[in-house]
């Protein structure tokens, strides 16, 4: 499904940009929304990369899914979160390099 492939593109770019913006000094509510967005995006991308047979990349997205989950939040200091925001932004945006090699689903 080409729509799912395009959705994965939107999800990766959106989550990556949200993580980059999170490095700034923003209201706490932004970080609450960020948790939901990054966790949801990570779960979707885990499923997506398994479907397109790039399982190793799907495994990488388990880490942000756990760290950003809103149900059992992980509490870290601000400097650690900024580092993680940058690293995971690189993961989300860097995963775009596989876009041309992704098989069609189905």
């Amino acid at each position: 499904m080409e729509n799912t492939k395009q959705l994965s593109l939107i999800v990766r770019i959106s989550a990556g940009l949200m993580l980059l913006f999170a490095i700034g000094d923003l209201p706490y509510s932004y970080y609450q929304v960020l948790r939901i967005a990054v966790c949801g995006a990570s779960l979707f991308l885990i499923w997506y990369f398994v479907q397109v047979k790039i399982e190793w990349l799907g495994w990488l997205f388990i880490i942000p899914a756990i760290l950003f989950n809103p149900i059992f939040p992980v509490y870290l200091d601000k400097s650690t979160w900024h580092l993680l925001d940058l690293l995971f932004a690189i993961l989300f945006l860097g995963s775009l390099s596989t876009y041309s090699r992704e098989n069609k689903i189905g």
Side-chain angles (χ1 to χ4, degrees):
M1 280 190 214
E2 192 63 29
N3 290 340
T4 306
K5 185 176 179 183
Q6 291 173 350
L7 179 60
S8 79
L9 177 70
I10 293 167
V11 166
R12 289 184 256 186
I13 292 171
S14 300
L17 291 177
M18 286 182 75
L19 285 161
L20 287 176
F21 288 135
I23 295 171
D25 190 25
L26 298 168
Y28 182 70
S29 59
Y30 180 83
Y31 298 103
Q32 290 175 315
V33 171
L34 182 71
R35 279 187 180 275
I36 295 166
V38 171
C39 184
S42 297
L43 293 173
F44 170 75
L45 291 172
I46 292 166
W47 171 82
Y48 174 75
F49 284 120
V50 168
Q51 296 300 309
V52 296
K53 309 290 190 251
I54 308 176
E55 290 90 356
W56 67 270
L57 194 50
W59 281 99
L60 289 178
F61 282 97
I62 291 174
I63 300 165
I66 292 170
L67 288 175
F68 284 85
N69 86 81
I71 298 170
F72 301 106
V74 175
Y75 297 103
L76 302 169
D77 62 87
K78 195 171 190 172
S79 61
T80 304
W81 275 118
H82 285 242
L83 176 62
L84 291 174
D85 292 338
L86 179 61
L87 290 174
F88 292 129
I90 292 169
L91 174 63
F92 277 94
L93 297 174
S95 71
L96 294 170
S97 66
T98 66
Y99 190 73
S100 63
R101 294 177 289 183
E102 293 164 16
N103 303 325
K104 289 187 177 180
I105 298 173

